[in-house]
Each structure stands twice: as structure tokens, then as C-alpha cells.
Amino acid sequence: MTVKNMERKGEYAMKKRIVTLLLTMGVSASIFVGGCATNEESTTSQTTAGREESSREAGTETVDNAQTVALATNAAAVSTERTYTLTTPEYKDSYEYEGWDEDDTMITLNGSEAVADGSGVEISDGIIKITEKGTYVFSGSYNGQIYVETQESVHIILNGVEITNESGPAIYIADAKNAYIGLAPGTENILSDGSNYVLEDGEDEPDACIFSADDLIINGSGSLTVNGNYACGIRSKDDLVIREGTIKVTAVSDALKGKDLVCIYDGTIDLSAGGCGIKATNTDEDDKGDVYIAGGEITIETKDDCVHSNRNVQIIGATLTLSSDDDGIHANEVTMINSATVTVEKSYEGIEGSIVDLIESVVTVMASDDGINAAGDLNETEDSGDSWGRRGGMMEDSNPDNIIYIDGGSVYVNADGDGVDSNGYIYIFGGDVTI
């Protein structure tokens, strides 16, 4: 193990931190510990400069990562520049819950019957079909489905409902510019699907209790329980945004699944899944496929990864408690945790990414293999190569792009494999680290 001192830059240059390394398990990589400069400073600076130059040549500008999380007011500034960039999703005013007024359409549910007071809906054979833009307020119990087919934005407000559809999604948004599901304050809402869907020949979708072909935004301070008995709990084929709410999802497959983005701003969220807890899947577009969590208290128990992104995972100011038979958190590119509390109670590998950056956070990891792991090539999926070091293999090839940053906070790792494992570098700029 190589330990070198690295001088802090700018206003952080004189700030002292305590760094505690209790190496009862393995630490694998070149280690750089921040503090006062020594005669080995020049070697470290040259190494960093070389990586920054390579980053610029590849078309990625190296910037202070604090700029990328400006919208999260509880995010801590970093002590030095990073070799990556991240994008903060645009927050839109339309994410706020607005309720309804007397001109909106009210739908009263009663068993297999539904009565609409207003326009824009068609009710037939257990399907309530929304065909026009507007706000639709549902209350009562129903055996059937809410179905949306319009190219305009639609607001569905759940005002105390229990909806069960044995043959498909409870809410199916087939076409909409944007779809909003509002949880009316003080209400409890339950949605369930069946274990067998009736699908068109050759089709494998829809596959979720709440399924949206377009952007889906969930807001409002009420509660929502989703029972995904067929496959997924809540799924969007574009962006999935949760603004707030008390949300509990149980799913045979993935609990929360989006393609281009999964974004959580606040809420109390409890997920139990036979697949992943939170998953973003886009691998075709370079700027899409992120998981972004900027608040909330989230508990996840899964068979697959608790949090999985085919691109980047950003966790800022949130509290996560995770238990997984696979990874606690996995990103194909960057996993960044800033000013958050993350507890991985059970995992195969705790926190994983090509780059892992822990900034002023309280991180606890229990793992049966590696605790914190930087491996894989950027833009490589888990299934496209063996550099992730999955079961049955070892990660032997070094990769200078694989970096673990620990910048303040507290990190505790208890792992049967390597506690902190990078195929490239490990930088510790401050904090308490116990392995």
C-alpha cells in the first residue's frame, strides 16, 4: 500500500481533518491521503494533472463537483477538483402538487361501478378512459383500471382510493405529454394488479401496477401503497419523478423503474422487490439513465441491486437504509454520495461504480464480498464485460479511471472481501474511515 500526502487547493488548503484508517480488512489500490504537503507532493500533482488532461482530450471537462449539485442546498462543497462531471436534473415548478378546483372532473368509485361528474372520461367494461387534458379526482374503491390516452398533460388525483385490476395495471398511461399522479393530503391510497396479465399477442408490456409510456410525476403529501403482483411496481418508459409522499411498493420484479431518469426529491419511501429497488435503464443515450435522489427517507430490501443505474447515481442529503442479496448501490459510471446517510445492512458488494465519491456523508456498509468497489470501464454495463468482478471472478487488471474519493464524513465498512477496493486510485481528503 502506498500512502502519499496531497496538498489541498484554494480555500480548503489549510483546513485540518482527522483521518483514521483501521485496516483490519484489505484496502486495494494506491492511497492518497489529504493533509499537509510533503516532498512527495509533486508526484501526486503530476498524476492528477495527467488524468485531468486525459479527461479533457476525451471531451469531458474536469470541474468542481459542487457546481453540479447547486440545487441541493444541503450538499457539501468538495475539497478538490474531480475527474468527472455530473448533471443535476432540471427541477420544474409543475412538480408541485396543486390539488383541484370545482371545475375539474370528479370520479366516484364503487366496486365495479364508476360515476363521473365532468368531461373527458369514458367508462366501459371496468375501464375508466381519460381522453382529454385536465385534472381528474378519484375517490372510493374500484375493480378495474384507470387508462389514459391523450397527447396532452393529465393530472390524476387519488383522493382515498383502493383500485384492483386482476388482468393488468391499476393505472395504465398509454399516451400523455406528461402524467401526474397526485396523492391528496391526509388520504390513503392502495393500488394492486394481478399475477397474470392479459396482453396482446407478442407483447410483454405493460408490466407494472402503475405503467406509463411517458414522463410520470408523483406528488402530494398523501400515502400510496402499490402491490406489483405481476412484475414491476411503478414504471415509466421515460422519466420517473417522485416529488414527495409516503410511498410503499412491493413488487415481484423492480419496485421503481424508469428509463431516462429516476428522480426522488423527498418523501418516506419503503420498497421491497424481487428485482431492483430503484432502477434506471437507458443505455442508448449518453446523457440519460441516471438515478438522482435529493432527499427523503428511503428503505429498500431486494434480491437484486437496491439502487441501480446504467449510468450515474447521485444521492444528496437523503437517508437510505438498504438490504440486498446483490449490490446495495451500483452505477456503471459514477456513484456520488453527498451529505447523505447511507446504511447498507446486507449486500454482496456494498457500493459500486467506475468512480465512487463519498462527500461529507455517513456511510455504513456490510458486505459478503467488497464493501466499496471502483471497477469497470466507463460506459460498460455489468453484462458486457467481466471487469466488475462479479461472483466467481477476480478483478486483476488495473484501470486509472477507477477512483474512490473519501472527502470528509464517516465511513465504516465490514466486508468479507476487500473493504475498499479500487482498480485505480483511492483519495482520502478527510473524515473517519474504519475498515
Side-chain angles (χ1 to χ4, degrees), residues 22 24-25 358 363-367 369-372 411-415 418-420 433-435:
L22 302 181
T24 59
M25 298 298 291
L358 309 179
V363 176
T364 303
V365 175
M366 309 294 288
D369 193 58
D370 295 341
I372 300 172
V411 177
Y412 172 85
V413 179
N414 187 335
D418 293 327
V420 179
V433 182
T434 303
I435 302 171

Side-chain angles (χ1 to χ4, degrees), residues 29 32 46 54 62 71 76 78 109 113 121-122 152 222 249 253 256 265 269 277 284 329 350 417-418 427:
F32 299 80
Q46 291 171 4
S54 298
T62 302
L71 291 181
V78 300
L109 309 174
E113 303 293 328
V121 296
E122 301 172 1
E152 302 293 337
V249 180
S253 183
L256 302 179
Y265 288 103
I269 300 173
D284 300 326
I329 300 171
D418 293 327
Y427 291 93

Side-chain angles (χ1 to χ4, degrees), residues 366-388:
M366 309 294 288
S368 60
D369 193 58
D370 295 341
I372 300 172
N373 183 31
D377 295 328
L378 292 174
N379 304 315
E380 176 191 51
T381 65
E382 273 190 80
D383 297 331
S384 67
D386 60 3
S387 58
W388 286 105

Side-chain angles (χ1 to χ4, degrees), residues 200-370:
E200 299 291 334
D201 290 342
E203 296 295 328
D204 58 4
E205 295 175 354
D207 63 352
C209 185
I210 300 177
F211 183 91
S212 178
D214 301 288
D215 290 350
L216 174 62
I217 299 95
I218 299 175
N219 57 22
S221 61
S223 74
L224 173 65
T225 298
V226 175
N227 299 308
N229 297 307
Y230 177 71
C232 297
I234 302 174
R235 182 184 175 193
S236 168
K237 294 188 70 175
D238 284 329
D239 293 355
L240 173 58
V241 177
I242 296 178
R243 172 61 185 86
E244 61 198 337
T246 299
I247 298 171
K248 181 177 181 179
V249 180
T250 302
V252 172
S253 183
D254 303 323
L256 302 179
K257 184 176 181 180
K259 182 180 180 182
D260 296 343
L261 172 71
V262 177
C263 184
I264 298 173
Y265 288 103
D266 202 356
T268 301
I269 300 173
D270 187 346
L271 309 176
S272 178
C276 292
I278 301 171
K279 186 175 184 178
T281 63
N282 195 326
T283 59
D284 300 326
E285 300 170 89
D286 291 340
D287 60 342
K288 296 181 179 180
D290 283 6
V291 172
Y292 180 84
I293 302 172
E297 296 184 3
I298 303 171
T299 302
I300 307 176
E301 183 175 356
T302 61
K303 296 294 185 182
D304 206 336
D305 300 343
C306 286
V307 180
H308 179 100
S309 169
N310 286 340
R311 191 163 173 256
N312 304 304
V313 172
Q314 300 182 61
I315 300 171
I316 305 166
T319 299
L320 277 69
T321 303
L322 312 176
S323 178
S324 171
D325 289 348
D326 205 338
D327 294 346
I329 300 171
H330 174 92
N332 286 353
E333 297 184 17
V334 178
T335 294
M336 188 274 285
I337 301 173
N338 189 327
S339 304
T341 299
V342 175
T343 302
V344 182
E345 297 180 337
K346 174 189 172 185
S347 67
Y348 176 69
E349 292 193 336
I351 299 174
E352 188 169 56
S354 291
I355 295 173
V356 177
D357 197 353
L358 309 179
I359 307 164
E360 294 290 353
S361 296
V362 178
V363 176
T364 303
V365 175
M366 309 294 288
S368 60
D369 193 58
D370 295 341

